[in-house]
Amino acid sequence: MDNQQLLAHIAALTGSEPNAVEDTYGMLNVHLETSSLLRVVEGLKTKHQFIYLTDICASHYPDRVGAEFEVIYHLHNLVANQRVRLKVALPEAQLSLPTLTGLYAGANWMERETFDFYGVIFEGHPDLRRILNMDDMDYHPLRKQYALEDETRTDKNDTFFGR
Amino acid sequence: MDSALFLEKLILIVVILAVTLVMALYFTFGERKIAAFFQDRLGPNRVGPFGLLQPFADGGKLLFKEEIIPKNAEKWLFILGPGIAMIVATITSAVIPWGTSLPIFGRTVQLQVADVNIGILYIMGIVSIGVYGIMIGGWASNNKYSLYGAIRASAQMISYELSMGLALIAVVMMSGTLSLREMVEQQAGLNWNVWYQPLGFLLFLTCALAECNRAPFDLAECETELIGGYHVEYSSMKLGFYLFSEYINMFISSAVIACVYFGGYNFPGMHLISDPMILGLTQVAVMFAKIFFFVFLFMWIRWTLPRFRYDQLMRLGWKAMIPLALLNMLATGAISLYNAQGF
Amino acid sequence: MSELTIKNTGQMISTETIDGDIATLNLGPTHPATHGIFQNILKVDGERILSAEPTIGYIHRAFEKLAERRPYNQITPITDRLNYCSSPINNIGWHLTVEKLAGIEVPKRVDYMRVIVMELARIADHLVCNSVIGVDTGALTGFTYMFQEREKIYELYEEICGARLTTNLGRIGGFERDFSPTFHTKLNKFLAEFPDNFEEFDRLLTRNRIFMDRVIGAGPITAERALEYSFSGPNLRAAGVDYDVRVMNPYCSYQDFDFDIPVGKDGDTYDRFVVRQEEIRQSLRIIRQALDKMPAGDFHANVPEFYLPPKEEVYRSMESLIYHFKIVMGETAIPAGEVYYSVEGGNGELGYYLVSDGGRTPYRLHFRRPCFIYYQAYPEMIIDSVLSDAILTMSSMNVIAGELDA
């Protein structure tokens, strides 16, 4: 199964052409709608042997208005040795998408981590709490608006070096 | 009882107590050195020549540590626990015959504090009190880990005492006496009980390991699960008492094993020595050599074997040791009867 | 039974101690068996475990946030602190990720050198795990034997990079220097002596009756559940799935070497122990082959934008000075793009998901930490077993707090 066939399978599962498709370094990137995510993942798992959930993480793009957040899923078909990356873009106003815990038990902590760092709500998650940070933290630290260093520092000029 | 006898016994008690304590002290050192030997390390070698003063440094450290009694602990029981453990461990040595006798200042001093005619029963009795020290200490700490340790220890000791007693009964049936001195005297030369009771000896050795809470039966204090078990909350010399009592118990168990199965102070060619002084001293030396061997065996086992799981320990105790001990007892009885009467 | 509410969260922490037959037992955060800092709140009925609630994050150091401010070559020291039992694998995994993003081809010799270092790291990692299983069953002696061997591996690291635990080994594009003759002497000595000592350790435990009684059937997991939980590495292979990144997606010329993937059957502690033991033997095989077949060539790729020039060149030639400045100040241009790259770490598939926007630092870097992912199966694996088994299960899963919390 090469990436073209896989793309055809995914298109069949969504019922329409995916929003955008890229091929980065040999791995297929498929951008999905929130609504079709669960259907696609379930189809990939049950029909196309993508039984291994490698990773879930998110990313924050403050400049992309209306799609500030992106949740990234890496799936792996261990039989055909094929990986696929699924992406779901989310607006900051509506940071929620369905959970994968019903399909992969291992999604539990990965989604908790994503929630912890980006505040993405996974609907239907059995226990969506912070996992690595303090329970009483009131922000999601990996968002880009939180600078790593104290911005009031004056002894260090970052104009030339560093974001 | 004349006053001289009283004085003699008092001095003997003090000497034996002192020897026991020093032994326990140096067993901690020996344990560390032997562990180091097994593990390709050097062991303690900084305090004094060859690290020989290490146990005093350890003891001093324990003494000068801050005493901490947890707020929610039962204060008096918390203090009583290590006390019981220590007292019980030390008084067992009363019935051990260290040798026949020594001529000192014209008196023949018997090298045994009390030649009671129920020596073995005394030991069994005292040993079963020993568990209270651990149980009370573990319970009074008001800590779940120490409670677990205490529960494990008491269940383990009670189960293993049974087979220990059954193994001893076989020896008693064979020798026909409960006095340790008589038992030792019967084993003159190389006529040791272990040749007649090999199974009994193995059972007794295993039970002794369990009674001393030594590996592979050290579930009560296993550091990786219970973080030290019953003595988690103890500090300073109260902790020291628990640790010492373990080593004293090891010393006494080895002495009992030596007396019951390995002829105690007997050695081949004993009748060739006529000078009572030399004879007495050699006997004590032989006794100690045997004790040291068993203590070494205890340490050897500890640094080689993994420990059992709690349920496996109980299964071994109830389903293997007790039936074997009963079988051993039955066989001993049958053979004794055959020897006495024929068929 | 009283309850106490912690500020801001509304989360209840019960201060109840023993409720009927069920007790709450805090296994951790500072418990000797956690070998790090994490907590398990167990509900126990006597010795039997009814439920477990893991709490992690005690040594979370925000590596992903840190990485967003650091130039690529300065992220290597961060990766050291993930699975600190096998830092070189993490370092090299990171270098491979950047090399893939930047399209750097490394000479064959670098591949082989990397394989040697990574397999040494794997041996060190597995030695720690297996000897600690021994300690948790109460057999301390094997642990000291194996730590002497691990020490020799650390001395080998020292010969390569000067560091021991957090190695910060290698560079993007290769190694900072070639293996020294001392390294080869020491490695040959290690290869000659290690197998005997290792087999002695093996004889102490693997067929020891008490040890087998303790570990067989402790904390089992089926292959199906292990895949559901995205297990990887020795833990997945012990459950019976032969997934190994070295074979599935060979990196660093692993396809050139002949080695076996040991696979277990029941996924219990004994299988995990034996799989790791066998992997150590296979790693030795790989190292021997790599040494034998070591190709001639350079010990780094010819990528002046990423690979620091020799210091004397910096003083002599203008170009070198410019490259040196750009690398040290982190001003090297890197293509925009995103890449996922994984290596077989000590604990399993160690992945790096790297998003670059062409800037001096990664836009987003996510570590796929195998520990973090498989540790969530821990409650399921220990429920209904006894406390002692729970501890063995934990140590045989090789949960490394650094990797767990990132």
Side-chain angles (χ1 to χ4, degrees), chain A residues 107-159:
Chain A
N108 190 327
W109 281 17
M110 301 185 206
E111 289 180 351
R112 275 178 71 181
E113 192 192 15
T114 311
F115 164 73
D116 192 353
F117 287 119
Y118 287 94
V120 179
I121 308 288
F122 291 90
E123 276 158 25
H125 190 285
D127 183 25
L128 197 64
R129 284 183 292 127
R130 287 184 181 274
I131 186 159
L132 291 177
N133 288 314
M134 288 286 294
D135 284 330
D136 54 359
M137 206 167 181
D138 52 5
Y139 61 102
H140 299 284
L142 268 181
R143 292 185 179 185
K144 291 286 179 189
Q145 67 260 39
Y146 303 111
L148 184 65
E149 279 178 16
D150 183 2
E151 284 171 329
T152 56
R153 267 180 79 163
T154 51
D155 57 330
K156 202 170 167 189
N157 188 347
D158 271 348
T159 322

Side-chain angles (χ1 to χ4, degrees), chain B residues 39 82 92 102 130 141 151 153 176 211 263-264 294 300 305 324:
Chain B
Q39 301 179 346
T92 334
L102 273 183
S141 305
I151 292 171
E211 288 291 307
F294 284 107
W300 188 1
L305 291 181
L324 277 177

Side-chain angles (χ1 to χ4, degrees), chain C residues 89-109:
Chain C
I89 301 184
N90 310 343
N91 300 154
I92 293 173
W94 166 244
H95 295 149
L96 289 166
T97 312
V98 181
E99 281 162 18
K100 186 169 181 191
L101 180 73
I104 299 170
E105 287 282 327
V106 298
K108 203 77 169 168
R109 184 178 173 83

Side-chain angles (χ1 to χ4, degrees), chain C residues 306-322:
Chain C
F306 291 96
Y307 189 85
L308 272 178
K311 197 74 181 174
E312 56 269 28
E313 288 293 311
V314 176
Y315 293 128
R316 266 207 304 262
S317 102
M318 188 65 202
E319 269 192 354
S320 296
L321 180 62
I322 292 170

